[in-house]
Amino acid sequence: MITMLFHAGRVLRAAVCLLLALALLAPAAARARTDAAAEISTASAAGFAASAHLLERLDAGAPGAAYAMRPITLAQLEDQLRRPELQASAGKGAIAVLYSDVSEPVRSAFIAMIQGIEERTRVRVRSYLVEARTDPAELNARLKRANTRVVIALGRQGLAAAAGLDRDILVLVGGALLLSDAEIVNLNGISLTPDPALLFARLRTLLPDVRRVLVVYDPTKTEWLLRLAREAARAQGLELVAHEARDLGQAATLYASVLKAADGKRDALWLPHDTTTVEESTLLPLILKQSWNQGVPIFSSNVLHAKKGALFAMSPNNVELGKSLASSALGLMAGELRRKGVQPLRELHTALNLRTAHHMGLNIGYQQQRTFDFIFPEP
């Protein structure tokens, strides 16, 4: 065993020593839990607790939950050291997460993403709370001391903080919406915007007679998404009819004319993530009312719209998103990132509004309902 570990290199010998030390300490930890916490994210006003101990971690968003430590054999240690993700990260630095102190439900979403990142990497992931007043130089120094190789920046504040880091720290963006063409230049990561290909595929499943997808969008915000949507529509045998609107008034006028001329049997209206053309307080209720009266189905990139009356919508599966971000981070460290640039989200939950479906004359059976994660109105 000694000979084998010697030939495995310094990194593997150090890892074995650390794992052996933790295994030997486990019985004592089971009898008396340590009162120190590992550095974790809590996304709360109080910030987060930090220490050098490894016996307490973030568990499903609840700080202070202890992980069970069990004695393991040397053979089990060897198996762990052979894991591809550990081999990929050994000697190549650590993964860190930057996120901001936000309100619910975004706070829980960030916590779930971090959970997914840790489930995928199975190695220590440090999380750092960042704010508008965070000193870039101090943050950069902290990341360097932790031997950080890749940063996963969650949300816009995380992305803003990552912009001031040294170039030898690689950055992945995640958990952010409305990334324009100007913003996504030289960025890698995953947007919170659902992939149009998945939206259109679900549309064809529910409404196979639909031939056109209508959309009103602001080209200064979502042109990159419309490029993907045009390709996705062609692949599904759909025609994408896109109308540009650069302000709320123009969007309102376009929706009125588009819905009036639409054929409820062959057309469907898509509401993308676009703050110009999908304004929530006044414009959205008018769109939903007119679509209901005209019999034109609406589907959306925002799951809350399904609750309000859209036929169906999609929302992030945050744990799975975290796993995908972690896979990309490991790929960056190994120099093997498969998909560069900012990608649309494919880790999704789907919601259906049964009342709207019935109004549209759709008979959604129990088995088909089971393919959706959320059903509205709720039983």
Side-chain angles (χ1 to χ4, degrees), residues 98 136 139-140 151 153 156-167 171 187:
L98 304 183
L139 176 62
N140 198 77
V151 157
R156 289 193 166 274
Q157 192 62 56
L159 182 58
L165 301 179
D166 288 353
R167 292 192 175 184
V171 176
L187 288 178

Side-chain angles (χ1 to χ4, degrees), residues 46-168:
F48 59 88
S51 98
H53 295 287
L54 297 174
L55 298 181
E56 290 196 353
R57 302 296 307 279
L58 178 67
D59 185 9
Y67 276 58
M69 304 291 293
R70 296 192 299 266
I72 57 178
T73 66
L74 290 178
Q76 289 172 322
L77 287 176
E78 294 171 13
D79 288 340
Q80 291 188 26
L81 292 174
R82 294 190 188 101
R83 292 202 311 265
E85 62 270 19
L86 185 57
Q87 295 289 339
S89 62
K92 296 185 179 181
I95 298 172
V97 176
L98 304 183
Y99 73 104
S100 57
D101 185 6
V102 290
S103 59
E104 295 292 356
V106 180
R107 176 185 302 171
S108 294
F110 284 173
I111 291 173
M113 291 176 205
I114 294 171
Q115 176 187 339
I117 292 168
E118 294 202 336
E119 287 181 8
R120 174 64 184 86
T121 60
R122 300 183 187 179
V123 295
R124 178 72 181 277
V125 176
R126 293 178 178 268
S127 300
Y128 299 86
L129 181 69
V130 293
E131 301 173 324
R133 62 176 181 271
T134 297
D135 183 354
E138 180 182 348
L139 176 62
N140 198 77
R142 291 180 66 191
L143 293 169
K144 290 283 191 178
R145 288 195 298 269
N147 192 31
T148 301
R149 179 66 175 133
V150 177
V151 157
I152 299 175
L154 300 183
R156 289 193 166 274
Q157 192 62 56
L159 182 58
L165 301 179
D166 288 353
R167 292 192 175 184
D168 59 344

Side-chain angles (χ1 to χ4, degrees), residues 188-204:
N188 291 314
I190 303 173
S191 169
L192 278 183
T193 299
D195 192 333
L198 299 183
L199 284 162
F200 298 167
R202 178 68 71 161
L203 175 67
R204 291 304 302 271

Side-chain angles (χ1 to χ4, degrees), residues 4-322:
M4 181 187 68
L5 293 176
F6 176 79
H7 290 292
R10 293 181 177 178
V11 173
L12 296 184
R13 291 202 304 273
V16 169
C17 292
L18 175 59
L19 290 170
L20 281 173
L22 291 176
L24 293 173
L25 287 172
R31 290 190 300 268
R33 291 176 54 189
T34 177
D35 60 355
E39 183 171 5
I40 60 173
S41 306
T42 60
S44 65
F48 59 88
S51 98
H53 295 287
L54 297 174
L55 298 181
E56 290 196 353
R57 302 296 307 279
L58 178 67
D59 185 9
Y67 276 58
M69 304 291 293
R70 296 192 299 266
I72 57 178
T73 66
L74 290 178
Q76 289 172 322
L77 287 176
E78 294 171 13
D79 288 340
Q80 291 188 26
L81 292 174
R82 294 190 188 101
R83 292 202 311 265
E85 62 270 19
L86 185 57
Q87 295 289 339
S89 62
K92 296 185 179 181
I95 298 172
V97 176
L98 304 183
Y99 73 104
S100 57
D101 185 6
V102 290
S103 59
E104 295 292 356
V106 180
R107 176 185 302 171
S108 294
F110 284 173
I111 291 173
M113 291 176 205
I114 294 171
Q115 176 187 339
I117 292 168
E118 294 202 336
E119 287 181 8
R120 174 64 184 86
T121 60
R122 300 183 187 179
V123 295
R124 178 72 181 277
V125 176
R126 293 178 178 268
S127 300
Y128 299 86
L129 181 69
V130 293
E131 301 173 324
R133 62 176 181 271
T134 297
D135 183 354
E138 180 182 348
L139 176 62
N140 198 77
R142 291 180 66 191
L143 293 169
K144 290 283 191 178
R145 288 195 298 269
N147 192 31
T148 301
R149 179 66 175 133
V150 177
V151 157
I152 299 175
L154 300 183
R156 289 193 166 274
Q157 192 62 56
L159 182 58
L165 301 179
D166 288 353
R167 292 192 175 184
D168 59 344
I169 298 178
L170 305 173
V171 176
L172 281 172
V173 61
L177 283 172
L178 302 176
L179 297 171
S180 66
D181 281 359
E183 291 176 305
I184 64 176
V185 174
N186 299 323
L187 288 178
N188 291 314
I190 303 173
S191 169
L192 278 183
T193 299
D195 192 333
L198 299 183
L199 284 162
F200 298 167
R202 178 68 71 161
L203 175 67
R204 291 304 302 271
T205 299
L206 283 174
L207 299 167
D209 293 333
V210 165
R211 292 292 177 266
R212 297 198 308 172
V213 173
L214 314 174
V215 61
V216 179
Y217 77 104
D218 183 349
T220 64
K221 294 180 178 178
T222 49
E223 182 59 49
W224 72 275
L225 182 64
L226 264 291
R227 287 196 296 270
L228 297 176
R230 291 184 185 98
E231 296 177 6
R234 283 194 295 269
Q236 291 289 336
L238 296 167
E239 178 187 359
L240 184 69
V241 182
H243 302 270
E244 295 185 6
R246 297 177 183 270
D247 57 51
L248 181 60
Q250 188 179 9
T253 301
L254 280 170
Y255 278 121
S257 61
V258 165
L259 286 170
K260 184 178 180 179
D263 179 350
K265 300 297 182 182
R266 300 178 64 82
D267 295 336
L269 179 67
W270 169 35
L271 301 180
H273 281 300
D274 191 318
T275 54
T276 299
T277 65
V278 190
E279 191 272 331
E280 301 284 333
S281 61
T282 57
L283 186 55
L284 179 63
L286 293 176
I287 296 170
L288 292 172
K289 181 178 179 179
Q290 188 173 356
S291 74
W292 180 276
N293 293 337
Q294 301 279 133
V296 178
I298 287 181
F299 64 102
S300 176
S301 298
N302 186 336
V303 72
L304 294 179
H305 296 167
K307 189 173 184 179
K308 295 178 180 180
L311 176 60
F312 76 92
M314 291 186 172
S315 67
N317 182 331
N318 294 306
V319 173
E320 293 303 316
L321 170 56

